[in-house]
């Protein structure tokens, strides 16, 4: 298990038995894919545009390279070749989410790629992305550990705290931001860095 996984669940609340701490993130990856399907449905795109976006999402996540069981629903790229293929791009994404849930354990790196692709898609279709605290916290922690030098220069020696989610990690003066903008910043896309916490 990677060192950063020892800090989950995140936050300073009463932790109790940490039986849910795991290196398997299949359910969370599948949930992100399901959320992507919902955003795609809401965008009401034609099938051609929806298919392009869905394929770009799966290419960006690397989920096509993640092993899935042979009996599971086919991945999006192959679904159109199946006579029983789901009808729409969003249904194809949902079928692949099922395949992820039934497949091999998924690392947090796959979850991070899925979240990154979901946030890009949400921006493209003008949707407001949402993520569970556990997902956004795990991905933020992973990204902070892997951040390039310019981002590390901002967050080094600081704790990071989400203003709208139940997680924080790190040591030192606290930098705060809402969870989604924090992820965008750690991904190198956000224009607003987390700001210092000023106790009242």
């Amino acid at each position: 298990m990677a060192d950063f996984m020892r800090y989950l669940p995140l936050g300073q609340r009463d932790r109790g038995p940490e039986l849910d701490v795991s290196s398997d993130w299949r359910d969370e990856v599948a949930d992100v894919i399901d959320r992507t399907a919902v955003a795609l449905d809401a965008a009401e795109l034609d099938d051609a545009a929806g298919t392009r976006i869905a394929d770009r999402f799966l290419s960006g996540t690397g989920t096509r390279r993640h092993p899935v069981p042979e009996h599971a629903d086919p991945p999006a790229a192959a679904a159109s070749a199946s006579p029983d293929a789901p009808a729409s791009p969003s249904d194809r994404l949902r079928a692949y989410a099922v395949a992820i849930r039934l497949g091999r354990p998924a690392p947090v790196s796959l979850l991070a790629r899925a979240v990154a692709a979901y946030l890009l898609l949400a921006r493209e279709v003008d949707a407001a992305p949402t993520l569970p605290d556990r997902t956004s916290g795990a991905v933020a922690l992973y990204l902070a550990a892997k951040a390039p030098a310019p981002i590390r220069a901002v967050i080094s020696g600081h704790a990071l705290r989400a203003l709208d989610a139940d997680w924080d990690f790190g040591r030192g003066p606290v930098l705060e931001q809402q969870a989604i903008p924090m992820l965008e910043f750690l991904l190198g896309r956000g224009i607003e860095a987390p700001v210092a916490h000023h106790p009242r």
Side-chain angles (χ1 to χ4, degrees):
M1 182 179 296
D3 286 344
F4 73 88
M5 298 295 294
R6 297 174 186 167
Y7 298 100
L8 297 179
L10 301 170
Q12 302 304 315
R13 59 197 178 279
D14 180 18
R15 298 183 178 189
E18 297 189 358
L19 299 178
D20 62 339
V21 177
S22 169
S23 59
D24 182 7
W25 295 90
R26 276 176 295 182
D27 286 344
E28 288 78 9
V29 172
D31 174 71
V32 172
I33 297 173
D34 284 335
R35 289 170 187 267
T36 303
V38 170
L40 206 52
D41 275 339
E44 297 183 346
L45 303 171
D46 61 59
D47 279 352
T51 297
R52 285 195 302 272
I53 291 175
D55 286 347
R56 191 159 60 245
F57 167 84
L58 289 174
S59 295
T61 62
T63 48
R64 284 180 176 159
R65 297 188 297 274
H66 185 70
V68 296
E70 293 180 0
H71 62 273
D73 287 329
S80 58
S82 168
D84 299 321
S88 71
S90 57
D91 284 340
R92 293 163 66 198
L93 285 177
R94 290 185 179 94
Y96 203 67
V98 171
I100 290 291
R101 284 190 172 96
L102 296 174
R104 297 181 184 176
V108 72
S109 58
L110 181 62
L111 178 62
R113 291 195 300 272
V115 166
Y118 167 57
L119 296 181
L120 272 179
L121 181 144
R123 182 181 295 181
E124 185 172 354
V125 302
D126 198 26
T130 61
L131 291 168
D133 291 2
R134 175 177 164 83
T135 296
S136 64
V139 172
L141 188 54
Y142 174 81
L143 294 174
K146 301 285 186 179
I151 294 174
R152 284 202 312 272
V154 174
I155 65 176
S156 179
H158 290 81
L160 299 183
R161 176 186 299 155
L163 291 169
D164 58 347
D166 189 18
W167 56 260
D168 60 83
F169 57 86
R171 295 180 180 177
V174 176
L175 297 177
E176 297 179 320
Q177 198 172 35
Q178 292 185 331
I180 297 297
M182 180 86 78
L183 292 174
E184 295 280 19
F185 172 75
L186 293 172
L187 285 164
R189 303 173 186 162
I191 58 175
E192 295 183 8
V195 298
H197 169 69
H198 297 291
R200 295 178 181 177

